[in-house]
Amino acid sequence: MIPLDKVKKIVSTYETLEKDLASGNIDKKDFVKKSKEYSNIGDIINEAKSFIDYEKEKTELEKI
């Protein structure tokens, strides 16, 4: 199983790329590179967020 910290890093990277691309203050070479990376991560981001939510819920249920 993938460690939770790596999944959180993927989500963080995705959010950072999203902000960078939306800002418009990026040169064309970086824009292309970041757009490709954003697209690649976009394929798995929903699963990553679901995994994080699952781990949080699992931890809270174990406390009960």
Side-chain angles (χ1 to χ4, degrees):
M1 187 178 281
I2 299 173
L4 186 59
D5 60 326
K6 286 189 178 187
V7 176
K8 287 182 178 180
K9 184 176 178 183
I10 292 169
V11 172
S12 175
T13 300
Y14 182 81
E15 291 171 351
T16 300
L17 288 169
E18 190 171 48
K19 288 177 187 174
D20 289 347
L21 293 171
S23 74
N25 297 330
I26 189 170
D27 76 24
K28 291 181 181 182
K29 289 181 183 178
D30 284 339
F31 182 81
V32 171
K33 179 182 172 189
K34 289 184 179 194
S35 291
K36 287 180 182 179
E37 186 176 0
Y38 180 79
S39 176
N40 289 338
I41 294 174
D43 294 339
I44 61 165
I45 199 66
N46 290 332
E47 294 298 323
K49 287 180 179 180
S50 294
F51 181 74
I52 291 171
D53 291 341
Y54 166 78
E55 286 295 322
K56 286 179 186 177
E57 186 173 330
K58 178 182 164 189
T59 303
E60 290 185 17
L61 287 172
E62 287 174 346
K63 289 179 184 178
I64 295 174

